[in-house]
């Protein structure tokens, strides 16, 4: 993975329609298309992760809140060992919205900053 790559995740209502819109209208290229659950498109140093309800990022939170377009946008902080990082941050009093979830691309958890903004900790899946 490039150190200069910026990952942004958007919750979307229709993954394929979103892929088409970003590719057709803004010149993004498709990195991965696993519609209807997930797709990754890119433009320069930006990798836009498009997640639908069927993606691991679309799962409901323990308190019942549902990720939806416009309200769950966040950036990813890539970590090498998500379990150890969560343990370290919990010891420091960091709040999390959920537990670690695992999907085809890797493992993630949502931390909240002091204002309630979301930071996604993400450990990419091992590739063969």
């Amino acid at each position: 993975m490039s150190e200069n790559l910026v990952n942004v995740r958007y919750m979307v209502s229709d993954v394929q329609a979103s892929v088409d819109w970003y590719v057709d209208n803004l010149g993004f290229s498709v990195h991965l298309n696993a519609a209807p659950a997930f797709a990754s498109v890119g433009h320069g140093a930006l990798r836009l992760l498009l997640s639908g309800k069927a993606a691991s990022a679309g799962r409901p939170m323990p308190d019942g809140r549902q990720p939806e377009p416009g309200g769950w946008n966040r950036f990813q902080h890539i970590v090498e060992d998500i379990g150890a990082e969560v343990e370290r941050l919990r010891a420091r009093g960091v709040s999390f919205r959920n537990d670690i979830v695992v999907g085809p691309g890797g493992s993630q958890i949502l931390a909240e900053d002091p204002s309630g903004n979301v930071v996604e900790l993400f450990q990419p899946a091992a590739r063969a």
Side-chain angles (χ1 to χ4, degrees):
M1 254 184 223
S2 170
E3 291 183 64
N4 296 320
L5 192 65
V6 176
N7 293 322
V8 174
R9 182 182 305 276
Y10 281 166
M11 302 307 299
V12 297
S13 300
D14 183 320
V15 172
Q16 189 59 55
S18 297
V19 168
D20 293 344
W21 190 90
Y22 282 98
V23 170
D24 295 345
N25 292 309
L26 302 180
F28 278 62
S29 58
V30 178
H31 294 205
L32 172 72
N33 190 343
F38 173 83
S40 171
V41 297
H43 193 285
L46 172 62
R47 188 175 101 167
L48 186 57
L49 310 171
L50 304 169
S51 296
K53 287 184 182 259
S56 57
R59 295 179 187 161
M61 298 297 105
D63 67 2
R65 289 183 286 173
Q66 296 279 340
E68 59 187 3
W72 289 79
N73 299 330
R74 60 205 182 245
F75 69 90
Q76 284 186 330
H77 180 70
I78 307 297
V79 299
E80 289 187 28
D81 183 340
I82 197 166
E85 188 65 7
V86 168
E87 184 177 320
R88 183 185 74 80
L89 292 171
R90 281 198 170 125
R92 294 183 51 85
V94 172
S95 296
F96 292 88
R97 288 190 178 180
N98 61 337
D99 295 317
I100 296 171
V101 295
V102 178
S107 301
Q108 63 182 266
I109 190 169
L110 305 180
E112 290 186 331
D113 75 7
S115 299
N117 296 310
V118 180
V119 175
E120 178 180 319
L121 303 181
F122 183 78
Q123 178 181 340
R127 299 288 181 222

